[in-house]
Amino acid sequence: NAGVTQTPKFRILKIGQSMTLQCTQDMNHNYMYWYRQDPGMGLKLIYYSVGAGITDKGEVPNGYNVSRSTTEDFPLRLELAAPSQTSVYFCASSYSPGDVIMNTEAFFGQGTRLTVV
Amino acid sequence: AQKITQTQPGMFVQEKEAVTLDCTYDTSDPSYGLFWYKQPSSGEMIFLIYQGSYDQQNATEGRYSLNFQKARKSANLVISASQLGDSAMYFCAMREGQGGGGFKTIFGAGTRLFVKA
């Protein structure tokens, strides 16, 4: 099982460049998330999606955009890269069959280490 | 608004002893789930244990148990019989179940655990 796959694993961007971080899951999970983790810190939620066609902002959405055209894919777009976006980015997915089901853990990708110079 | 607080940046424990990692949370949603994740130095996120807000008993998973005190809004992780492989970063996370926030999950800042031989 591939689980959650993120590409690329490493990337160096110049200030002002744009890029898309790819995330794909093969577990038919309805929920997907993007987090960033700054050095020595916890994870901050950037955007999340509860299903295809539905996305919503998390704690730190500025400077990012997402789309969810399919259940499997949840790409994260950086339009104008800034040094403050240097971080490790994690994509995650989870499954909840109904409103009252909470006990489904998130499965994480291996992360993308992004450096903006 | 959701909030997760981990007040211990770092903890030391002797091998084979038990250790408690603290986590407090804040939410106005009566339905929520609490999670603990482990992040070893390799960077991946590993799910450890889950506690639902309506669960009557504390969750246990092998050497991991969750000391859930709902009135105090705390969800401390207890690791029994610590092993050298337990040295890692540990994150507490919360997912709210209802309201406008959907099912987004937020994380605390983490506690780095060092197990001494």
Side-chain angles (χ1 to χ4, degrees):
Chain A
N1 287 338
V4 179
T5 303
Q6 289 182 239
T7 56
K9 288 187 171 51
F10 304 93
R11 184 71 185 267
I12 297 174
L13 275 183
K14 293 184 178 178
I15 294 171
Q17 285 185 321
S18 62
M19 77 163 293
T20 299
L21 280 66
Q22 301 291 344
C23 176
T24 299
Q25 53 93 6
D26 62 358
M27 297 173 283
N28 201 31
H29 286 174
N30 46 355
Y31 292 92
M32 295 189 75
Y33 314 84
W34 273 106
Y35 293 91
R36 60 177 286 173
Q37 184 180 27
D38 297 332
M41 305 293 286
L43 280 72
K44 293 292 187 183
L45 182 65
I46 305 172
Y47 271 95
Y48 68 103
S49 169
V50 301
I54 305 170
T55 62
D56 209 346
K57 296 177 180 179
E59 303 167 274
V60 289
N62 292 343
Y64 307 95
N65 278 300
V66 295
S67 60
R68 185 94 181 271
S69 57
T70 66
T71 299
E72 296 79 16
D73 300 312
F74 191 42
L76 176 71
R77 179 82 177 163
L78 284 71
E79 290 295 346
L80 291 170
S84 60
Q85 293 177 305
T86 294
S87 191
V88 178
Y89 291 83
F90 286 98
C91 179
S93 70
S94 64
Y95 176 69
S96 291
D99 287 347
V100 296
I101 303 298
M102 299 292 294
N103 61 336
T104 53
E105 75 270 24
F107 291 79
F108 283 80
Q110 292 298 305
T112 295
R113 187 175 296 276
L114 176 67
T115 302
V116 182
V117 296
Chain B
Q2 288 175 284
K3 187 176 181 181
I4 291 276
T5 303
Q6 294 180 256
T7 58
Q8 306 155 311
M11 290 278 290
F12 286 88
V13 65
Q14 196 68 38
E15 192 179 12
K16 300 181 184 178
E17 292 186 348
V19 63
T20 297
L21 307 183
D22 295 342
C23 173
T24 58
Y25 60 91
D26 191 19
T27 179
S28 56
D29 197 324
S31 176
Y32 53 89
L34 296 156
F35 303 79
W36 277 92
Y37 288 84
K38 172 183 178 182
Q39 187 179 44
S41 57
S42 53
E44 72 265 34
M45 296 289 287
I46 302 168
F47 166 73
L48 295 178
I49 195 167
Y50 165 85
Q51 180 82 44
S53 59
Y54 295 117
D55 292 345
Q56 296 297 313
Q57 293 186 325
N58 287 342
T60 59
E61 287 287 347
R63 295 188 296 112
Y64 304 107
S65 60
L66 202 152
N67 184 0
F68 181 46
Q69 298 187 43
K70 194 170 182 177
R72 295 181 59 190
K73 293 188 174 179
S74 73
N76 299 339
L77 177 71
V78 180
I79 305 175
S80 63
S82 297
Q83 302 171 356
L84 295 178
D86 293 335
S87 293
M89 196 76 165
Y90 289 81
F91 293 100
C92 180
M94 178 173 67
R95 179 187 300 162
E96 289 180 335
Q98 297 173 7
F103 287 91
K104 63 183 180 183
T105 305
I106 64 167
F107 284 74
T111 295
R112 185 166 295 280
L113 178 66
F114 300 91
V115 180
K116 300 181 291 184

